[in-house]
Amino acid sequence: EFGAKPINGLVTNIDLPENNSPTAPYTLHYSNYNGEKVGKPETLECDIVIGADGANSRVAKAIDAGEYNYAIAFQERIKIDDEKMEFYKDLAEMYVGDDVSPDFYGWVFPKYDHVGVGTGTVINRPAIKKYQDAIRKRCEKKIEGGKIIKIEAHPIPEHYRPRRVINRAALVGDAAGYVTKCSGEGIYFAAKSGRMAAESIAELTKGGSVLPTQQEIEDTYLRDYDIAYGPTYTVLDILQQVFYRSNPARESFVEMCESEYVQRVTFDSYLYKKVQGNDPVSDIKLLAGTVSNLIKNNLRPDLPKDQPIYNPVESLARLGSK
């Protein structure tokens, strides 16, 4: 209706405008499947490219957008009986502890007629299967007798790419690094950034009569996105740095989440995708209580020490260290 032409294809290479020309087209090389099992090699010239092709983005690689650190998320979809599914009717579970992840969390999320059981890590990716075994053991009574119907693994970006717009090519979603720390959420931000980029660029082209510059795209799409969601990324980054770094910190995190104020602010923040809470008195009380819990739990002799990580490539230092 509006002129869009969907193509069932896989991009294999991108030829950039020669000498970074502000007017020359991009040439996309792709396999056009068009309902077939084997793709037919084809090319397409275009004026603007929006890379929405995930964490392993070929667009990002082609335009030299730079690399980012990433977590590995591992999940097993497990079919359990109706009685056990009833437990998860209005519930999702989150597990913390260095047994399930040294720097993230494990989860059991209901998926209509089955559950997703998984975990993730940045600093000890080679041990992901060990952490998966641990989360499965933590919830074993609740998934007892279940059947694994699907196994999934995926990289999760830990921060923005160094460059998200180059010339007339822009990145969105996982390709740009739009995944929040602490929670690992990215679906909403992928959809929202895609819409914001498309709307900004469509307006800049003035009905297709002019081509936008890199500066114009940065001053609209990137500026608006960062203003809207930058604080959310910053707050969740701080929470991950503080609470996922050790077992005493994780215990303090669990105690903090018992607060009704924290639960309400967390719910509203997830609902509106922006940091909520404008109660200075409650915020000060929460800060004081959290600091007190961190001190108390770090002095507790009954809390197990974090297991050492033998992974010189990724984690000579623990989370938060340089």
Side-chain angles (χ1 to χ4, degrees):
E1 181 183 352
F2 295 103
K5 180 183 177 182
I7 298 174
N8 181 15
L10 174 66
V11 174
T12 56
N13 193 28
I14 302 175
D15 294 336
L16 305 180
E18 190 172 354
N19 297 323
N20 204 32
S21 168
T23 57
Y26 293 83
T27 302
L28 307 184
H29 299 263
Y30 66 98
S31 295
N32 189 347
Y33 289 89
N34 194 28
E36 303 294 331
K37 291 185 177 180
V38 179
K40 178 184 176 183
E42 295 186 10
T43 61
L44 175 70
E45 288 191 346
C46 56
D47 292 322
I48 298 166
V49 175
I50 297 180
D53 50 342
N56 297 318
S57 172
R58 296 189 180 186
V59 175
K61 183 177 181 180
I63 65 175
D64 191 23
E67 297 297 331
Y68 45 35
N69 200 8
Y70 63 91
I72 285 292
F74 190 97
Q75 177 175 265
E76 294 169 320
R77 293 179 180 259
I78 301 176
K79 180 76 172 178
I80 56 179
D81 61 45
D82 292 342
E83 183 179 349
K84 288 185 171 62
M85 275 301 299
E86 186 66 21
F87 176 77
Y88 292 105
K89 182 178 179 180
D90 299 305
L91 176 72
E93 291 188 303
M94 173 181 174
Y95 294 81
V96 291
D98 72 315
D99 57 327
V100 298
S101 175
D103 57 335
F104 203 55
Y105 64 90
W107 64 83
V108 181
F109 293 157
K111 307 281 188 178
Y112 178 62
D113 63 348
H114 65 280
V115 292
V117 180
T119 184
T121 179
V122 177
I123 64 175
N124 201 16
R125 290 177 290 213
I128 187 66
K129 293 196 73 175
K130 180 184 78 171
Y131 299 132
Q132 180 65 17
D133 290 342
I135 179 61
R136 209 165 47 228
K137 185 170 181 59
R138 285 262 211 126
C139 63
E140 62 181 345
K141 291 184 178 180
K142 299 169 185 174
I143 62 172
E144 188 175 8
K147 178 184 177 182
I148 297 175
I149 57 177
K150 190 176 183 181
I151 298 176
E152 302 164 311
H154 200 272
I156 300 178
E158 278 289 289
H159 52 80
Y160 293 175
R161 284 195 190 270
R163 296 171 291 281
R164 292 171 284 160
V165 176
I166 296 180
N167 198 355
R168 286 167 284 121
L171 301 175
V172 300
D174 281 16
Y178 294 154
V179 176
T180 58
K181 288 192 176 184
C182 194
S183 66
E185 182 182 2
I187 294 177
Y188 171 85
F189 298 104
K192 187 66 176 181
S193 61
R195 175 181 287 272
M196 292 178 72
E199 290 178 344
S200 295
I201 291 172
E203 184 175 351
L204 289 170
T205 62
K206 299 179 180 179
S209 61
V210 295
L211 293 178
T213 65
Q214 175 176 327
Q215 190 63 53
E216 288 174 332
I217 298 173
E218 290 176 346
D219 289 345
T220 52
Y221 155 53
L222 285 193
R223 180 202 62 193
D224 295 345
Y225 187 87
D226 289 347
I227 289 174
Y229 301 110
T232 300
Y233 288 98
T234 299
V235 169
L236 292 176
D237 187 6
I238 293 171
L239 289 177
Q240 178 166 319
Q241 296 285 346
V242 172
F243 292 112
Y244 288 179
R245 64 187 302 124
S246 69
N247 282 330
R250 296 181 193 104
E251 188 69 21
S252 301
F253 176 66
V254 173
E255 292 173 351
M256 182 185 73
C257 290
E258 293 176 351
S259 162
E260 184 177 330
Y261 175 67
V262 170
Q263 293 172 17
R264 185 175 71 251
V265 170
T266 300
F267 179 82
D268 289 344
S269 297
Y270 275 103
L271 181 63
Y272 300 109
K273 306 303 177 186
K274 294 182 181 180
V275 178
Q276 303 294 311
N278 54 357
D279 185 344
V281 174
S282 295
D283 288 339
I284 293 172
K285 289 181 179 178
L286 176 62
L287 176 62
T290 301
V291 171
S292 175
N293 286 336
L294 284 168
I295 295 173
K296 175 195 70 176
N297 289 323
N298 273 284
L299 295 174
R300 282 176 57 182
D302 58 314
L303 285 180
K305 300 295 183 182
D306 283 47
Q307 301 174 21
I309 295 175
Y310 299 103
N311 178 16
V313 175
E314 297 173 344
S315 53
L316 285 173
R318 300 206 49 86
L319 179 71
S321 300
K322 299 299 182 182

